[in-house]
mmCIF file of all heavy atoms in Angstrom:
data_model
loop_
_atom_site.group_PDB
_atom_site.id
_atom_site.type_symbol
_atom_site.label_atom_id
_atom_site.label_comp_id
_atom_site.label_asym_id
_atom_site.label_seq_id
_atom_site.Cartn_x
_atom_site.Cartn_y
_atom_site.Cartn_z
ATOM 1 N N ILE T 480 107.286 89.522 120.876
ATOM 2 C CA ILE T 480 108.535 89.683 121.641
ATOM 3 C C ILE T 480 109.720 89.174 120.816
ATOM 4 O O ILE T 480 110.787 89.802 120.758
ATOM 5 C CB ILE T 480 108.439 88.939 122.989
ATOM 6 C CG1 ILE T 480 107.394 89.607 123.877
ATOM 7 C CG2 ILE T 480 109.790 88.900 123.686
ATOM 8 C CD1 ILE T 480 107.036 88.810 125.111
ATOM 9 N N LYS T 481 109.521 88.042 120.161
ATOM 10 C CA LYS T 481 110.613 87.436 119.401
ATOM 11 C C LYS T 481 111.052 88.334 118.238
ATOM 12 O O LYS T 481 112.245 88.437 117.934
ATOM 13 C CB LYS T 481 110.151 86.070 118.871
ATOM 14 C CG LYS T 481 111.202 85.342 118.062
ATOM 15 C CD LYS T 481 110.787 83.894 117.814
ATOM 16 C CE LYS T 481 109.506 83.821 117.014
ATOM 17 N NZ LYS T 481 109.142 82.424 116.680
ATOM 18 N N HIS T 482 110.098 89.028 117.614
ATOM 19 C CA HIS T 482 110.415 89.838 116.440
ATOM 20 C C HIS T 482 110.627 91.318 116.762
ATOM 21 O O HIS T 482 110.878 92.111 115.847
ATOM 22 C CB HIS T 482 109.304 89.695 115.399
ATOM 23 C CG HIS T 482 109.206 88.315 114.814
ATOM 24 N ND1 HIS T 482 110.122 87.799 113.930
ATOM 25 C CD2 HIS T 482 108.306 87.323 115.029
ATOM 26 C CE1 HIS T 482 109.791 86.566 113.604
ATOM 27 N NE2 HIS T 482 108.678 86.251 114.257
ATOM 28 N N SER T 483 110.501 91.708 118.031
ATOM 29 C CA SER T 483 110.753 93.107 118.413
ATOM 30 C C SER T 483 112.221 93.283 118.770
ATOM 31 O O SER T 483 112.913 92.330 119.141
ATOM 32 C CB SER T 483 109.874 93.503 119.602
ATOM 33 O OG SER T 483 108.517 93.554 119.228
ATOM 34 N N PHE T 484 112.679 94.523 118.678
ATOM 35 C CA PHE T 484 114.062 94.831 119.008
ATOM 36 C C PHE T 484 114.212 95.044 120.515
ATOM 37 O O PHE T 484 113.226 95.193 121.250
ATOM 38 C CB PHE T 484 114.515 96.081 118.244
ATOM 39 C CG PHE T 484 114.424 95.930 116.760
ATOM 40 C CD1 PHE T 484 113.444 96.604 116.043
ATOM 41 C CD2 PHE T 484 115.288 95.087 116.068
ATOM 42 C CE1 PHE T 484 113.339 96.472 114.666
ATOM 43 C CE2 PHE T 484 115.200 94.944 114.694
ATOM 44 C CZ PHE T 484 114.224 95.633 113.996
ATOM 45 N N GLN T 485 115.466 95.064 120.962
ATOM 46 C CA GLN T 485 115.766 95.275 122.378
ATOM 47 C C GLN T 485 115.237 96.634 122.847
ATOM 48 O O GLN T 485 115.255 97.618 122.105
ATOM 49 C CB GLN T 485 117.292 95.212 122.586
ATOM 50 C CG GLN T 485 117.733 95.017 124.027
ATOM 51 C CD GLN T 485 117.673 93.560 124.434
ATOM 52 O OE1 GLN T 485 117.572 92.683 123.586
ATOM 53 N NE2 GLN T 485 117.723 93.291 125.731
ATOM 54 N N ASP T 486 114.710 96.674 124.067
ATOM 55 C CA ASP T 486 114.256 97.915 124.733
ATOM 56 C C ASP T 486 113.076 98.564 124.009
ATOM 57 O O ASP T 486 112.862 99.776 124.144
ATOM 58 C CB ASP T 486 115.406 98.935 124.833
ATOM 59 C CG ASP T 486 116.610 98.376 125.582
ATOM 60 O OD1 ASP T 486 116.386 97.636 126.566
ATOM 61 O OD2 ASP T 486 117.747 98.672 125.175
ATOM 62 N N GLU T 487 112.284 97.806 123.263
ATOM 63 C CA GLU T 487 111.099 98.362 122.607
ATOM 64 C C GLU T 487 109.862 98.107 123.470
ATOM 65 O O GLU T 487 109.979 97.655 124.612
ATOM 66 C CB GLU T 487 110.912 97.726 121.222
ATOM 67 C CG GLU T 487 111.994 98.100 120.232
ATOM 68 C CD GLU T 487 111.860 99.541 119.773
ATOM 69 O OE1 GLU T 487 110.792 100.129 120.021
ATOM 70 O OE2 GLU T 487 112.816 100.072 119.184
ATOM 71 N N HIS T 488 108.669 98.362 122.922
ATOM 72 C CA HIS T 488 107.449 98.122 123.673
ATOM 73 C C HIS T 488 106.412 97.463 122.770
ATOM 74 O O HIS T 488 106.430 97.610 121.539
ATOM 75 C CB HIS T 488 106.890 99.413 124.268
ATOM 76 C CG HIS T 488 106.288 100.322 123.247
ATOM 77 N ND1 HIS T 488 107.039 101.179 122.478
ATOM 78 C CD2 HIS T 488 104.987 100.487 122.854
ATOM 79 C CE1 HIS T 488 106.249 101.848 121.671
ATOM 80 N NE2 HIS T 488 105.002 101.457 121.868
ATOM 81 N N ILE T 489 105.482 96.745 123.386
ATOM 82 C CA ILE T 489 104.378 96.068 122.694
ATOM 83 C C ILE T 489 103.082 96.625 123.269
ATOM 84 O O ILE T 489 102.943 96.770 124.485
ATOM 85 C CB ILE T 489 104.458 94.540 122.885
ATOM 86 C CG1 ILE T 489 105.718 93.995 122.193
ATOM 87 C CG2 ILE T 489 103.207 93.857 122.346
ATOM 88 C CD1 ILE T 489 106.002 92.551 122.522
ATOM 89 N N HIS T 490 102.151 96.931 122.361
ATOM 90 C CA HIS T 490 100.897 97.550 122.788
ATOM 91 C C HIS T 490 99.730 96.593 122.545
ATOM 92 O O HIS T 490 99.589 96.023 121.460
ATOM 93 C CB HIS T 490 100.659 98.859 122.029
ATOM 94 C CG HIS T 490 99.405 99.564 122.445
ATOM 95 N ND1 HIS T 490 99.220 100.086 123.701
ATOM 96 C CD2 HIS T 490 98.257 99.818 121.754
ATOM 97 C CE1 HIS T 490 98.027 100.642 123.770
ATOM 98 N NE2 HIS T 490 97.414 100.487 122.599
ATOM 99 N N ILE T 491 98.902 96.415 123.578
ATOM 100 C CA ILE T 491 97.691 95.583 123.466
ATOM 101 C C ILE T 491 96.484 96.502 123.543
ATOM 102 O O ILE T 491 96.353 97.297 124.481
ATOM 103 C CB ILE T 491 97.627 94.529 124.588
ATOM 104 C CG1 ILE T 491 98.859 93.614 124.539
ATOM 105 C CG2 ILE T 491 96.349 93.707 124.469
ATOM 106 C CD1 ILE T 491 98.941 92.633 125.689
ATOM 107 N N LEU T 492 95.610 96.393 122.544
ATOM 108 C CA LEU T 492 94.396 97.208 122.503
ATOM 109 C C LEU T 492 93.190 96.271 122.458
ATOM 110 O O LEU T 492 93.122 95.361 121.641
ATOM 111 C CB LEU T 492 94.396 98.108 121.260
ATOM 112 C CG LEU T 492 93.116 98.923 121.020
ATOM 113 C CD1 LEU T 492 92.878 99.927 122.148
ATOM 114 C CD2 LEU T 492 93.166 99.630 119.670
ATOM 115 N N VAL T 493 92.245 96.507 123.378
ATOM 116 C CA VAL T 493 90.999 95.738 123.414
ATOM 117 C C VAL T 493 89.852 96.722 123.248
ATOM 118 O O VAL T 493 89.677 97.625 124.072
ATOM 119 C CB VAL T 493 90.858 94.958 124.739
ATOM 120 C CG1 VAL T 493 89.610 94.092 124.697
ATOM 121 C CG2 VAL T 493 92.089 94.107 125.000
#
Side-chain angles (χ1 to χ4, degrees):
I480 293 169
K481 180 168 62 176
H482 294 288
S483 292
F484 301 108
Q485 197 82 15
D486 302 322
E487 293 288 346
H488 72 278
I489 294 170
H490 181 65
I491 301 174
L492 174 64
V493 184

